[in-house]
């Protein structure tokens, strides 16, 4: 499979260059697929002016979060591409951190927003306006009929949605304890930052009362799991396991860890408000849970009196290719789901969806109000995004193009010793870098940053993440093409070969260089 893939990729690259296929990966000069679009001329602030304002007036917690030494200034976008102030085009495989679904500057989404702005932009939910009701009905129609998820609360971000989910779980059960998974990310608000178990986002002063984590069911770096334990992905881990092809024994072990955690947390078998997990790990770089884990965990949650919450902020809206929602992929039915990011194609929008019983208990517990939740323009953007995903066939495109990416990642993992793992489903993917497969020790972040910078210089934008910040996160707009996937593999092949041959100056990125 790998030999056929690289032969096709090299031939495709050669056709674009009009030359014979190059002999070595470092000799490849990948050419980005053509695009019949010219961005409008930019006449705004220069990049230097933006950088000065950013340093002086944008909060340090924001302005210091840059991935690159030479940061592009993006002023336009179209589909899966972004353009800088000079008109240079980049393939956006980050998608605004898994946020742009239908594509940058999507005509139908933009038209819906403009049309609504010309009518009425905001009234608040104290009054009736039509757009929230049209959108609510369309969203509930996307839920499986047997799920009983039929009441929706709109808000503005995934953090808000997860705050709301915790409130609802506590109001319904009367209990306080919320349990999540280690290495998960659920937002950075003051209330749910304790639920986020990633070191970069934890604060020493954060409140941690009644929030805890159980072991993350990771077949790659966890205690159990191996080459048979990821469900529905072309990429399995390289380490072996004794599991049968259709059953993951590790899932039972991780479930036992969850049960043991609850036994110490909830004496007497009651006291759990809710259990929350992601459809696939987001900040953990597409961490795929051991197959069957959620089914077992959901039963345990119920036995301790809690409700099950699925965080779909990054896995919803068809991105996984075969299922519209992550919980469908896992074969479970949560009591609450949260969603954001791809929900609005870049427009600030989020939601929590639950059952009528939980919604009624929440309504009886206290008044809940969100000024911009279900805002008319946000609802128009969300409704148009739902329609665009369907009309453009983006779920099926996620499956087809995602498999092409993952096939290529498998090839690169076989070829390069520093690629320790590749994983994903649909267009939610990741690559994890190590010092060597023999040790599996995480690659130091500065080396990964050097590879990331070189990849950007060749026209590809990637995210980064993972517990050790040693992973590429690949979550592009869902309109990305097969040609884009082939271009990406060629670029990565070239960059990885340069790294392997010592042609990338990684020490320039080392914050503590040897003296």
């Amino acid at each position: 499979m790998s030999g056929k893939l690289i032969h096709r990729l090299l031939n495709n690259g050669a056709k674009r260059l009009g030359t014979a296929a190059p002999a070595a990966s470092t000799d490849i000069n990948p050419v980005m697929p053509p695009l019949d679009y010219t961005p409008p001329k930019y006449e705004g602030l220069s990049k230097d002016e933006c950088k000065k304002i950013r340093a002086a007036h944008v909060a340090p917690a924001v302005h210091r979060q840059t991935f690159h030494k030479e940061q592009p200034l993006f002023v336009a976008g179209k589909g899966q591409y972004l353009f800088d102030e000079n008109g240079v085009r980049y393939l956006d495989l980050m998608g605004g951190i898994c946020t742009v679904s239908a594509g940058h500057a999507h005509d139908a989404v933009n038209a819906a927003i403009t049309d609504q702005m010309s009518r009425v932009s905001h009234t608040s939910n104290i009054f009736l306006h039509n757009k929230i009701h049209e959108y609510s009905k369309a969203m509930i129609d996307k839920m499986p009929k047997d799920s009983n998820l039929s009441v929706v609360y709109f808000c503005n971000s995934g953090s808000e949605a997860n705050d709301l989910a915790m409130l609802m779980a506590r109001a319904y059960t009367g209990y306080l304890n919320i349990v999540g998974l280690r290495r998960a990310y659920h937002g950075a608000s003051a209330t749910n930052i304790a639920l986020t178990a990633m070191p970069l986002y934890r604060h020493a002063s954060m409140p941690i009362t009644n929030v805890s984590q159980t072991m993350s069911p990771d077949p790659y770096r966890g205690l159990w799991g191996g080459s048979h334990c990821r469900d529905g992905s072309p990429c399995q881990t390289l380490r072996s396991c004794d599991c049968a092809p259709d059953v993951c024994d590790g899932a039972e072990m991780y479930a036992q860890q969850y049960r043991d955690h609850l036994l110490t947390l909830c004496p007497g078998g009651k006291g759990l408000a809710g259990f929350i997990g992601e459809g696939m790990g987001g900040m953990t770089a597409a961490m795929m849970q051991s197959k069957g884990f959620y089914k077992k965990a959901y039963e345990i949650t119920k036995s301790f009196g809690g409700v099950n919450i699925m965080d779909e902020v990054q896995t919803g809206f068809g991105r996984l290719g075969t299922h519209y929602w992550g919980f469908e992929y896992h074969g479970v039915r949560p009591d609450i789901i949260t969603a954001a990011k791809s929900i609005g194609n870049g427009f600030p929008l989020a939601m929590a969806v639950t059952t009528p019983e939980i919604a009624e208990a929440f309504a009886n517990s206290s008044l809940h109000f969100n000024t911009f939740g279900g805002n008319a323009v946000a609802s128009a953007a969300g409704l148009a995004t739902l329609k665009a995903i369907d009309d453009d066939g983006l779920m099926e495109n996620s499956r087809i193009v995602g498999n092409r990416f993952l096939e290529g990642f498998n090839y690169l993992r076989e070829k390069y010793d520093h690629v320790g793992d590749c994983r994903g489903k649909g267009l939610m993917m990741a690559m994890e870098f190590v010092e060597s497969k023999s040790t599996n020790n995480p690659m130091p972040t500065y080396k990964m940053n050097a590879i990331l910078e070189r990849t950007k210089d060749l026209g590809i934008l990637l995210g980064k993440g993972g517990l050790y910040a040693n992973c590429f996160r690949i979550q592009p707009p869902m309109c990305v093409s097969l040609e884009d996937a082939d271009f990406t593999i060629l670029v990565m092949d070239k960059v990885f070969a340069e790294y392997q041959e010592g042609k990338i100056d990684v020490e320039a990125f080392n914050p503590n260089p040897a003296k």
Side-chain angles (χ1 to χ4, degrees):
M1 178 183 70
S2 298
K4 291 180 181 178
L5 171 70
I6 195 59
H7 179 75
R8 186 189 74 230
L9 291 176
L10 289 174
N11 282 342
N12 286 349
K15 286 176 184 177
R16 294 192 191 110
L17 292 169
T19 63
S25 297
T26 51
D27 295 331
I28 299 170
N29 292 302
V31 178
M32 195 176 297
L35 179 68
D36 185 18
Y37 174 80
T38 302
K41 183 180 179 181
Y42 177 68
E43 298 178 343
L45 294 173
S46 70
K47 181 159 73 171
D48 285 343
E49 289 174 311
C50 289
K51 288 167 70 173
K52 288 177 182 178
I53 293 170
R54 186 179 179 94
H57 303 296
V58 177
V62 175
H63 83 69
R64 291 174 186 168
Q65 293 189 46
T66 55
F67 279 10
H68 301 289
K69 281 195 170 185
E70 293 298 325
Q71 191 80 351
L73 173 63
F74 293 121
V75 300
K78 191 64 178 176
Q80 62 271 42
Y81 301 106
L82 287 169
F83 298 85
D84 70 11
E85 77 278 18
N86 298 312
V88 176
R89 178 162 57 109
Y90 294 80
L91 175 58
D92 179 12
L93 297 186
M94 189 180 180
I97 314 181
C98 198
T99 298
V100 180
S101 49
H104 293 286
H106 191 281
D107 290 341
V109 177
N110 288 359
I113 293 170
T114 303
D115 179 69
Q116 187 59 46
M117 284 293 292
S118 71
R119 297 173 185 273
V120 60
S121 61
H122 185 67
T123 65
S124 94
N125 288 329
I126 292 173
F127 303 104
L128 292 176
H129 67 82
N130 62 304
K131 201 52 75 171
I132 188 176
H133 303 98
E134 295 173 25
Y135 186 33
S136 296
K137 178 63 168 58
M139 185 60 74
I140 295 304
D141 286 346
K142 290 295 183 184
M143 302 297 155
K145 302 306 179 188
D146 63 345
S147 68
N148 202 27
L149 293 167
S150 59
V151 181
V152 59
Y153 294 79
F154 290 117
C155 48
N156 309 293
S157 71
S159 294
E160 275 190 284
N162 284 325
D163 283 345
L164 185 55
M166 286 194 286
L167 279 173
M168 289 192 288
R170 287 166 168 161
Y172 178 70
T173 63
Y175 302 134
L176 295 178
N177 287 304
I178 302 286
V179 176
L181 296 173
R182 296 175 196 166
R183 292 187 277 158
Y185 179 88
H186 297 287
S189 67
T191 53
N192 71 19
I193 198 168
L195 197 58
T196 287
M198 291 291 288
L200 282 174
Y201 298 91
R202 305 274 281 190
H203 293 258
S205 59
M206 68 184 181
I208 59 173
T209 304
N210 301 115
V211 176
S212 59
Q213 284 83 21
T214 186
M215 188 179 291
S216 190
D218 180 4
Y220 175 60
R221 288 202 176 273
L223 291 181
W224 305 285
S227 57
H228 293 153
C229 298
R230 286 176 180 159
D231 195 11
S233 173
C235 298
Q236 297 291 332
T237 66
L238 294 179
R239 75 180 189 181
S240 61
C241 63
D242 296 327
C243 302
D246 57 343
V247 177
C248 173
D249 296 334
E252 178 60 33
M253 303 301 290
Y254 290 116
Q256 287 182 17
Q257 289 293 311
Y258 176 43
R259 185 183 296 108
D260 289 352
H261 180 77
L262 293 182
L263 285 172
T264 62
L265 185 68
C266 305
K270 296 293 179 182
L272 177 65
F275 167 70
I276 184 169
E278 299 171 274
M280 280 170 56
M283 284 301 299
T284 42
M287 194 280 284
M288 302 183 71
Q289 299 85 358
S290 298
K291 62 186 177 186
F293 167 75
Y294 273 128
K295 286 185 177 180
K296 298 174 185 296
Y298 274 31
E299 292 176 0
I300 294 169
T301 298
K302 292 296 185 183
S303 71
F304 280 82
V307 301
N308 289 298
I309 306 165
M310 185 66 81
D311 182 333
E312 297 276 3
V313 168
Q314 298 194 40
T315 51
F317 305 99
R319 178 167 291 275
L320 299 185
T322 56
H323 299 84
Y324 205 81
W325 304 107
F327 69 82
E328 294 179 286
Y329 156 60
H330 291 289
V332 295
R333 294 294 181 262
D335 302 293
I336 305 169
I337 73 164
T338 58
K341 293 190 179 287
S342 291
I343 191 173
N345 199 44
F347 201 95
L349 178 62
M351 70 176 186
V353 185
T354 190
T355 67
E357 295 79 13
I358 293 175
E360 188 64 27
F362 183 52
N364 291 334
S365 68
S366 65
L367 176 68
H368 173 73
F369 182 76
N370 186 307
T371 298
F372 291 105
N375 164 273
V377 180
S379 295
L383 184 59
T385 300
L386 284 183
K387 191 173 187 303
I389 291 170
D390 289 345
D391 290 351
D392 297 349
L394 296 184
M395 184 166 127
E396 177 67 359
N397 192 65
S398 295
R399 182 186 69 81
I400 294 170
V401 180
N403 283 341
R404 182 80 139 244
F405 272 109
L406 293 168
E407 182 186 359
F409 296 161
N410 273 333
Y411 161 75
L412 294 171
R413 180 175 59 175
E414 291 175 16
K415 185 174 181 179
Y416 295 103
D417 191 43
H418 69 271
V419 182
D421 192 36
C422 52
R423 51 188 179 259
K425 183 174 172 60
L427 290 176
M428 186 159 179
M429 306 166 289
M431 303 181 77
E432 182 157 348
F433 300 121
V434 294
E435 287 281 53
S436 169
K437 287 189 180 75
S438 61
T439 65
N440 218 34
N441 291 332
M443 178 184 284
T445 302
Y446 75 89
K447 293 184 179 181
M448 206 280 292
N449 288 343
I451 295 173
L452 189 74
E453 187 83 7
R454 177 61 176 146
T455 306
K456 180 265 298 180
D457 290 343
L458 293 178
I460 292 179
L461 304 171
L462 295 156
K464 65 179 179 180
L467 180 64
Y468 305 102
N470 65 325
C471 300
F472 280 170
R473 292 175 61 193
I474 302 112
Q475 299 160 306
M478 293 158 63
C479 57
V480 69
S481 71
L482 291 170
E483 292 75 19
D484 293 320
D486 288 352
F487 169 68
T488 299
I489 303 306
L490 284 169
V491 168
M492 288 184 174
D493 197 10
K494 179 181 179 70
V495 172
F496 294 173
E498 290 176 348
Y499 171 78
Q500 184 172 270
E501 296 177 18
K503 295 180 178 179
I504 295 177
D505 184 9
V506 298
E507 287 303 315
F509 292 80
N510 190 348
N512 301 299
K515 295 181 180 179

